[in-house]
Amino acid sequence: GPYNFTVDGTADYVTNIGLEGPAEGSNSTWVITDESGKILGLPPTLEAVKGVNFDAAGAGTCLIWYLRYEDGLVGAEVDKNANDLYGCFDLSNSITVVRNLPSVTNKIKAKLYPIPAKNTIHVALETFEKGRINMVLYDFAGNAILNKTKQIENQKTSLDVNTIQAGVYILRIRNENGKSVSKKVTIF
């Protein structure tokens, strides 16, 4: 790293990551955080880190860390902050992953509401008139949780999320012309 990707609907993975030097601790995991240290994911292995699709996370910056620790570590959980870890642990230097927005010509403007959502996410597509769109809901590990294709007539649609577990996700919307947008959504 650092890695720089464009959020364009094409999967982006980190490569050539390795470990050097000593690390203390009986247990280990990888930690993916946002810039402020909020834990977005805890891939258990290096192979799992290499399998994370960073394109699905939308625009922004995140950090990848390697964590070695002893039993009793407190705070190594998704949505907690890595700056608040408590116990005996060793955290590596971070690898930066920057996810840039694509050029304006490939972007759809969309508004999602209500956020946080409980049962339904309403989608208003400001720059799209009619046609088919594909909506994919991703978790922060890059796994597709929900995939729906819909016909749009009046720049509005909705996505039923009442069976989706509470958490933070990325919703990617793409039209037939390849224009797309990714938005962070919270479901409770």
Side-chain angles (χ1 to χ4, degrees), residues 57-117:
T61 299
C62 63
L63 305 169
I64 302 171
W65 312 80
Y66 182 64
L67 174 65
R68 296 286 301 191
Y69 61 97
E70 296 297 335
D71 292 337
L73 179 68
V74 176
E77 300 173 39
V78 172
D79 291 330
K80 300 265 180 149
N81 195 298
N83 297 311
D84 298 330
L85 292 175
Y86 181 79
C88 186
F89 66 93
D90 185 10
L91 198 59
S92 72
N93 293 332
S94 64
I95 300 168
T96 303
V97 179
V98 178
R99 300 165 332 270
N100 300 301
L101 288 172
S103 66
V104 174
T105 58
N106 287 332
K107 188 175 177 192
I108 299 172
K109 288 186 180 178
K111 180 179 179 184
L112 308 180
Y113 59 94
I115 301 297

Side-chain angles (χ1 to χ4, degrees), residues 42-58:
L42 295 162
T45 65
L46 180 56
E47 290 308 310
V49 172
K50 291 179 179 179
V52 172
N53 176 5
F54 285 92
D55 189 83

Side-chain angles (χ1 to χ4, degrees), residues 38-40 78-79 114-118 121 137-140 145 161-171 183-188:
K38 180 179 178 183
I39 299 173
L40 305 174
V78 172
D79 291 330
I115 301 297
K118 184 168 184 163
I121 298 172
L137 189 67
Y138 293 95
D139 64 16
F140 270 98
I145 304 301
V161 293
N162 72 2
T163 61
I164 304 300
Q165 185 177 14
V168 179
Y169 299 89
I170 298 297
L171 178 62
K183 296 276 191 172
K184 182 172 139 180
V185 298
T186 303
I187 298 173
F188 68 97

Side-chain angles (χ1 to χ4, degrees), residues 114-149:
I115 301 297
K118 184 168 184 163
N119 297 315
T120 304
I121 298 172
H122 298 281
V123 180
L125 300 164
E126 300 170 15
T127 58
F128 190 70
E129 294 175 9
K130 57 176 135 175
R132 295 176 64 82
I133 63 165
N134 176 252
M135 296 184 290
V136 183
L137 189 67
Y138 293 95
D139 64 16
F140 270 98
N143 301 308
I145 304 301
L146 185 64
N147 188 337
K148 295 285 182 187
T149 300

